[in-house]
PDB file of all heavy atoms in Angstrom:
ATOM      1  N   ARG A  47      -4.102  10.498 -16.149  1.00 73.00           N
ATOM      2  CA  ARG A  47      -3.952  11.190 -17.426  1.00 73.00           C
ATOM      3  C   ARG A  47      -4.120  10.295 -18.636  1.00 73.00           C
ATOM      4  O   ARG A  47      -4.253  10.778 -19.750  1.00 73.00           O
ATOM      5  CB  ARG A  47      -2.610  11.898 -17.473  1.00 73.00           C
ATOM      6  CG  ARG A  47      -1.431  10.968 -17.384  1.00 73.00           C
ATOM      7  CD  ARG A  47      -0.153  11.736 -17.338  1.00 73.00           C
ATOM      8  NE  ARG A  47       0.944  10.817 -17.115  1.00 73.00           N
ATOM      9  CZ  ARG A  47       2.178  11.111 -17.327  1.00 73.00           C
ATOM     10  NH1 ARG A  47       2.494  12.300 -17.774  1.00 73.00           N
ATOM     11  NH2 ARG A  47       3.126  10.236 -17.090  1.00 73.00           N
ATOM     12  N   PHE A  48      -4.090   8.978 -18.470  1.00 73.00           N
ATOM     13  CA  PHE A  48      -4.240   8.063 -19.590  1.00 73.00           C
ATOM     14  C   PHE A  48      -5.644   7.480 -19.686  1.00 73.00           C
ATOM     15  O   PHE A  48      -5.903   6.660 -20.551  1.00 73.00           O
ATOM     16  CB  PHE A  48      -3.234   6.922 -19.479  1.00 73.00           C
ATOM     17  CG  PHE A  48      -1.811   7.396 -19.479  1.00 73.00           C
ATOM     18  CD1 PHE A  48      -1.020   7.266 -18.353  1.00 73.00           C
ATOM     19  CD2 PHE A  48      -1.271   7.979 -20.604  1.00 73.00           C
ATOM     20  CE1 PHE A  48       0.293   7.707 -18.352  1.00 73.00           C
ATOM     21  CE2 PHE A  48       0.036   8.424 -20.621  1.00 73.00           C
ATOM     22  CZ  PHE A  48       0.826   8.291 -19.490  1.00 73.00           C
ATOM     23  N   SER A  49      -6.550   7.869 -18.839  1.00 71.00           N
ATOM     24  CA  SER A  49      -7.872   7.246 -18.816  1.00 71.00           C
ATOM     25  C   SER A  49      -8.657   7.490 -20.100  1.00 71.00           C
ATOM     26  O   SER A  49      -9.458   6.650 -20.497  1.00 71.00           O
ATOM     27  CB  SER A  49      -8.672   7.737 -17.613  1.00 71.00           C
ATOM     28  OG  SER A  49      -8.910   9.119 -17.723  1.00 71.00           O
ATOM     29  N   LEU A  50      -8.428   8.610 -20.768  1.00 69.00           N
ATOM     30  CA  LEU A  50      -9.183   8.893 -21.992  1.00 69.00           C
ATOM     31  C   LEU A  50      -8.757   8.002 -23.154  1.00 69.00           C
ATOM     32  O   LEU A  50      -9.566   7.660 -24.012  1.00 69.00           O
ATOM     33  CB  LEU A  50      -9.028  10.358 -22.375  1.00 69.00           C
ATOM     34  CG  LEU A  50      -9.614  11.350 -21.388  1.00 69.00           C
ATOM     35  CD1 LEU A  50      -9.311  12.775 -21.826  1.00 69.00           C
ATOM     36  CD2 LEU A  50     -11.111  11.152 -21.264  1.00 69.00           C
ATOM     37  N   ILE A  51      -7.487   7.623 -23.186  1.00 70.00           N
ATOM     38  CA  ILE A  51      -7.016   6.808 -24.306  1.00 70.00           C
ATOM     39  C   ILE A  51      -6.851   5.340 -23.932  1.00 70.00           C
ATOM     40  O   ILE A  51      -6.481   4.535 -24.775  1.00 70.00           O
ATOM     41  CB  ILE A  51      -5.680   7.348 -24.853  1.00 70.00           C
ATOM     42  CG1 ILE A  51      -4.591   7.316 -23.778  1.00 70.00           C
ATOM     43  CG2 ILE A  51      -5.847   8.717 -25.439  1.00 70.00           C
ATOM     44  CD1 ILE A  51      -3.217   7.593 -24.305  1.00 70.00           C
ATOM     45  N   ALA A  52      -7.137   4.982 -22.715  1.00 68.00           N
ATOM     46  CA  ALA A  52      -6.899   3.616 -22.260  1.00 68.00           C
ATOM     47  C   ALA A  52      -7.742   2.602 -23.010  1.00 68.00           C
ATOM     48  O   ALA A  52      -7.321   1.477 -23.237  1.00 68.00           O
ATOM     49  CB  ALA A  52      -7.152   3.498 -20.759  1.00 68.00           C
ATOM     50  N   GLU A  53      -8.931   2.973 -23.423  1.00 67.00           N
ATOM     51  CA  GLU A  53      -9.802   2.015 -24.067  1.00 67.00           C
ATOM     52  C   GLU A  53      -9.741   2.075 -25.580  1.00 67.00           C
ATOM     53  O   GLU A  53     -10.371   1.294 -26.261  1.00 67.00           O
ATOM     54  CB  GLU A  53     -11.226   2.219 -23.569  1.00 67.00           C
ATOM     55  CG  GLU A  53     -11.308   1.744 -22.135  1.00 67.00           C
ATOM     56  CD  GLU A  53     -12.395   2.419 -21.351  1.00 67.00           C
ATOM     57  OE1 GLU A  53     -13.351   2.891 -21.954  1.00 67.00           O
ATOM     58  OE2 GLU A  53     -12.261   2.456 -20.133  1.00 67.00           O
ATOM     59  N   THR A  54      -8.971   2.975 -26.152  1.00 66.00           N
ATOM     60  CA  THR A  54      -8.901   3.073 -27.606  1.00 66.00           C
ATOM     61  C   THR A  54      -8.049   1.964 -28.199  1.00 66.00           C
ATOM     62  O   THR A  54      -8.307   1.533 -29.309  1.00 66.00           O
ATOM     63  CB  THR A  54      -8.343   4.434 -28.050  1.00 66.00           C
ATOM     64  OG1 THR A  54      -7.047   4.597 -27.484  1.00 66.00           O
ATOM     65  CG2 THR A  54      -9.251   5.555 -27.619  1.00 66.00           C
ATOM     66  N   GLY A  55      -7.031   1.526 -27.513  1.00 70.00           N
ATOM     67  CA  GLY A  55      -6.166   0.477 -28.031  1.00 70.00           C
ATOM     68  C   GLY A  55      -6.400  -0.826 -27.300  1.00 70.00           C
ATOM     69  O   GLY A  55      -6.740  -0.843 -26.125  1.00 70.00           O
ATOM     70  N   LYS A  56      -6.260  -1.917 -28.019  1.00 75.00           N
ATOM     71  CA  LYS A  56      -6.379  -3.213 -27.366  1.00 75.00           C
ATOM     72  C   LYS A  56      -5.275  -4.105 -27.893  1.00 75.00           C
ATOM     73  O   LYS A  56      -4.751  -3.900 -28.994  1.00 75.00           O
ATOM     74  CB  LYS A  56      -7.749  -3.834 -27.615  1.00 75.00           C
ATOM     75  CG  LYS A  56      -8.042  -4.119 -29.063  1.00 75.00           C
ATOM     76  CD  LYS A  56      -9.372  -4.808 -29.231  1.00 75.00           C
ATOM     77  CE  LYS A  56      -9.523  -5.177 -30.720  1.00 75.00           C
ATOM     78  NZ  LYS A  56     -10.651  -6.030 -30.941  1.00 75.00           N
ATOM     79  N   LEU A  57      -4.910  -5.095 -27.127  1.00 79.00           N
ATOM     80  CA  LEU A  57      -3.876  -6.031 -27.537  1.00 79.00           C
ATOM     81  C   LEU A  57      -4.402  -6.933 -28.638  1.00 79.00           C
ATOM     82  O   LEU A  57      -5.545  -7.407 -28.578  1.00 79.00           O
ATOM     83  CB  LEU A  57      -3.427  -6.880 -26.352  1.00 79.00           C
ATOM     84  CG  LEU A  57      -2.704  -6.133 -25.241  1.00 79.00           C
ATOM     85  CD1 LEU A  57      -2.375  -7.081 -24.105  1.00 79.00           C
ATOM     86  CD2 LEU A  57      -1.447  -5.492 -25.766  1.00 79.00           C
ATOM     87  N   GLN A  58      -3.592  -7.145 -29.658  1.00 81.00           N
ATOM     88  CA  GLN A  58      -3.961  -8.032 -30.749  1.00 81.00           C
ATOM     89  C   GLN A  58      -2.754  -8.881 -31.119  1.00 81.00           C
ATOM     90  O   GLN A  58      -1.613  -8.439 -30.985  1.00 81.00           O
ATOM     91  CB  GLN A  58      -4.370  -7.237 -31.995  1.00 81.00           C
ATOM     92  CG  GLN A  58      -5.638  -6.470 -31.869  1.00 81.00           C
ATOM     93  CD  GLN A  58      -5.957  -5.732 -33.159  1.00 81.00           C
ATOM     94  OE1 GLN A  58      -5.074  -5.282 -33.857  1.00 81.00           O
ATOM     95  NE2 GLN A  58      -7.237  -5.622 -33.464  1.00 81.00           N
ATOM     96  N   ARG A  59      -3.021 -10.041 -31.610  1.00 88.00           N
ATOM     97  CA  ARG A  59      -1.948 -10.870 -32.142  1.00 88.00           C
ATOM     98  C   ARG A  59      -1.553 -10.277 -33.485  1.00 88.00           C
ATOM     99  O   ARG A  59      -2.369  -9.686 -34.185  1.00 88.00           O
ATOM    100  CB  ARG A  59      -2.412 -12.310 -32.315  1.00 88.00           C
ATOM    101  CG  ARG A  59      -2.661 -12.996 -30.997  1.00 88.00           C
ATOM    102  CD  ARG A  59      -2.811 -14.497 -31.243  1.00 88.00           C
ATOM    103  NE  ARG A  59      -3.018 -15.178 -30.007  1.00 88.00           N
ATOM    104  CZ  ARG A  59      -2.051 -15.573 -29.188  1.00 88.00           C
ATOM    105  NH1 ARG A  59      -0.803 -15.342 -29.496  1.00 88.00           N
ATOM    106  NH2 ARG A  59      -2.335 -16.186 -28.074  1.00 88.00           N
ATOM    107  N   LEU A  60      -0.303 -10.457 -33.858  1.00 88.00           N
ATOM    108  CA  LEU A  60       0.176  -9.929 -35.118  1.00 88.00           C
ATOM    109  C   LEU A  60      -0.576 -10.540 -36.294  1.00 88.00           C
ATOM    110  O   LEU A  60      -0.836  -9.882 -37.297  1.00 88.00           O
ATOM    111  CB  LEU A  60       1.684 -10.185 -35.254  1.00 88.00           C
ATOM    112  CG  LEU A  60       2.393  -9.487 -36.391  1.00 88.00           C
ATOM    113  CD1 LEU A  60       2.162  -7.990 -36.344  1.00 88.00           C
ATOM    114  CD2 LEU A  60       3.868  -9.789 -36.362  1.00 88.00           C
TER     115      LEU A  60
END
Side-chain angles (χ1 to χ4, degrees):
R47 62 184 174 163
F48 300 113
S49 64
L50 295 176
I51 61 170
E53 289 154 24
T54 59
K56 62 176 185 170
L57 293 177
Q58 292 181 326
R59 292 193 179 276
L60 191 55

